[in-house]
Amino acid sequence: MRPLEDYLIIDFSQFLSGPSASLKLADLGARVIKIEKPITGDICRTLYCSDLIMNEESSIFHTINRNKESFAADLKNAEDLKLIKALLAKADVVMHNFRPGVMERIGLSYEDVKTINPQVVYAEISGYGNHPDLIKHPGQDLLLQSLTALTWLTGNKNDGPVAMGLSIVDMLAGAHLAQGILAALYRKTINNSGALVQVSMLESAIDFQFETITTYFNDGGELPVRTKSNNAHAYLGAPYGIYKTSDGFLALAMGSIPVLADLLKCDALLKYPENTFELRNEIKKILAAHLKTQNTAYWLAILEPADIWCAKVLNYQELFEEEGFKVLDFIQKVTMGDGYSYETTRCPIKIDGELLISSKGSPKLGEHNAKILEELINI
């Protein structure tokens, strides 16, 4: 039995942040019913992040909405809203990621739902919380990365701001919401009380930078400075970075410069003391030129036995051929109700050594209306 079996989650969220949270809860055993607008459904069904269309819908929709059920309802229709409220009366968790004010206008705010279900855990993600200047702005990942200074930590010094290559703020906010929901459910089991769990993408993006922000406030307000080349962390000295070799790339984490100079037979590094932060640009320039003279395997054969923190840099194709990846058994095949199957990642959590795998694919819009009406609303 999985930890959240017998828990019912009614999920109004769409896009990435909210659905990524409910996916984690579904993999932990919860029954997740996704409430969608008739005809169009979650906008993520047609929000293509690439030119890949899977079973007539967006690949990203299938990725984050597997292991869920879909119930189509028009929240502006009185009869549909009545059905939804009957569902909410039986829910352990209700969650959404609409802009502030939307659920209030529909009549499904926390206060509204509490009158139907006093012990409900009501969870919401917003873009900016109650920030007075931003509350009406779209809570979109790239915008949040830009507004929270995150773009000044990636790339090299002269690159200008660089965004991360993932919707990282969406996923962080989703993870935080899942954590908050789990904490609220734990409290509910103790004293049978509900809770309002609130997460904003703005705060999630700021929290993500707790290390660098703490450094900023305790370093006289000095802005982080990325190295001119091979930057991987604005607050770490050489050799920390990724370097080109004759046939690929090599990642070097923290390490003693004199030790590296000796191991790599790099005479130009011998004049540098232990990781002097002020000299990191010079050191990286020398390292970069030296590491290009041999292939990645050559350098790894020298560095790994000496316990230097290093790694080859893999692309997806190379990663999936690695034996170390294969033993993880991280790719699972899931199947939709119409028989369409696709491969995707599994939940990264194990409980009592068990992989949390589910073969249930993403739902077609409104696929489970009849089942839910019969089982939960008694129609």
Side-chain angles (χ1 to χ4, degrees):
M1 184 172 178
R2 296 190 181 185
L4 296 184
E5 283 189 25
D6 297 328
Y7 282 91
L8 175 62
I9 297 175
I10 306 300
D11 182 10
F12 292 89
S13 66
Q14 54 182 339
F15 295 109
L16 180 55
S17 61
S20 70
S22 60
L23 174 60
K24 292 293 183 289
L25 302 174
D27 282 341
L28 288 167
R31 181 179 185 181
V32 175
I33 297 176
K34 184 176 180 65
I35 309 298
E36 298 188 76
K37 187 187 302 183
I39 302 176
T40 57
D42 182 343
I43 197 170
C44 209
R45 287 183 180 271
T46 53
L47 185 69
Y48 301 115
C49 62
S50 70
D51 58 0
L52 176 63
I53 299 173
M54 298 167 56
N55 205 15
E56 301 180 350
E57 292 177 315
S58 162
S59 58
I60 190 172
F61 176 84
H62 294 296
T63 303
I64 58 175
N65 288 294
R66 60 175 179 78
N67 208 10
K68 301 176 187 178
E69 299 170 40
S70 173
F71 187 87
D74 182 355
L75 299 180
K76 296 179 181 179
N77 177 285
E79 288 303 311
D80 280 9
L81 190 58
K82 184 178 178 181
L83 295 176
I84 291 297
K85 288 181 177 180
L87 270 181
L88 298 185
K90 298 183 177 182
D92 296 288
V93 178
V94 174
M95 54 185 289
H96 75 87
N97 63 352
F98 295 125
R99 293 189 191 184
V102 171
M103 289 296 263
E104 285 76 7
R105 289 194 295 273
I106 296 170
L108 295 179
S109 69
Y110 175 49
E111 295 302 323
D112 295 322
V113 175
K114 264 205 312 182
T115 64
I116 304 168
N117 185 344
Q119 286 79 42
V120 73
V121 173
Y122 189 100
E124 57 186 28
I125 293 178
S126 64
Y128 307 94
N130 293 317
H131 191 297
D133 300 323
L134 300 172
I135 193 169
K136 294 183 179 180
H137 287 222
Q140 195 277 330
D141 195 277
L142 179 60
L143 309 185
L144 266 299
Q145 287 193 45
S146 302
L147 286 167
T148 56
L150 191 56
T151 54
W152 290 104
L153 300 176
T154 303
N156 295 322
K157 182 177 180 180
N158 297 322
D159 287 343
V162 177
M164 294 187 70
L166 289 168
S167 298
I168 186 66
V169 183
D170 276 311
M171 290 184 278
L172 288 168
H176 291 157
L177 193 72
Q179 291 167 16
I181 289 170
L182 290 172
L185 286 176
Y186 174 74
R187 190 178 72 175
K188 183 178 179 180
T189 63
I190 296 172
N191 59 20
N192 202 31
S193 64
L196 173 62
V197 180
Q198 294 173 297
V199 169
S200 78
M201 294 173 69
L202 181 70
E203 289 163 292
S204 289
I206 293 170
D207 173 76
F208 186 46
Q209 301 172 78
F210 66 90
E211 176 192 5
T212 49
I213 287 173
T214 301
T215 302
Y216 170 83
F217 277 114
N218 292 276
D219 191 30
E222 291 290 328
L223 288 172
V225 178
R226 299 166 292 177
T227 51
K228 291 180 180 178
S229 66
N230 308 94
N231 178 71
H233 195 300
Y235 283 115
L236 290 178
Y240 204 88
I242 293 176
Y243 298 84
K244 184 140 184 25
T245 65
S246 65
D247 69 342
F249 294 88
L250 174 72
L252 282 174
M254 289 77 83
S256 164
I257 297 306
V259 170
L260 277 176
D262 181 56
L263 287 170
L264 300 175
K265 307 299 183 210
C266 182
D267 294 340
L269 281 184
L270 291 172
K271 65 178 181 179
Y272 292 95
E274 288 286 349
N275 309 349
T276 305
F277 192 81
E278 298 78 21
L279 300 176
R280 60 184 182 155
N281 284 318
E282 293 179 34
I283 295 170
K284 285 188 172 186
K285 185 176 180 180
I286 293 168
L287 261 177
H290 188 73
L291 291 171
K292 287 179 183 176
T293 62
Q294 299 287 350
N295 64 35
T296 303
Y298 176 88
W299 296 124
L300 288 173
I302 294 171
L303 297 172
E304 286 182 336
D307 201 26
I308 300 297
W309 293 358
C310 59
K312 52 188 169 183
V313 180
L314 304 177
N315 59 31
Y316 278 161
Q317 190 174 53
E318 293 164 335
L319 168 64
F320 301 147
E321 288 301 317
E322 286 282 305
E323 197 57 38
F325 176 81
K326 292 177 182 178
V327 298
L328 295 175
D329 196 18
F330 211 84
I331 302 301
Q332 63 179 352
K333 179 176 280 191
V334 298
T335 304
M336 297 175 63
D338 64 0
Y340 180 85
S341 295
Y342 59 94
E343 289 184 315
T344 186
T345 56
R346 62 164 172 81
C347 178
I349 302 167
K350 281 191 280 189
I351 294 184
D352 296 329
E354 178 190 352
L355 298 179
L356 302 182
I357 292 173
S358 171
S359 61
K360 184 178 176 181
S362 49
K364 286 290 189 179
L365 176 59
E367 178 181 342
H368 301 94
N369 273 48
K371 175 185 177 184
I372 291 166
L373 287 171
E374 180 182 353
E375 291 182 1
L376 296 174
I377 310 180
N378 303 317
I379 294 178

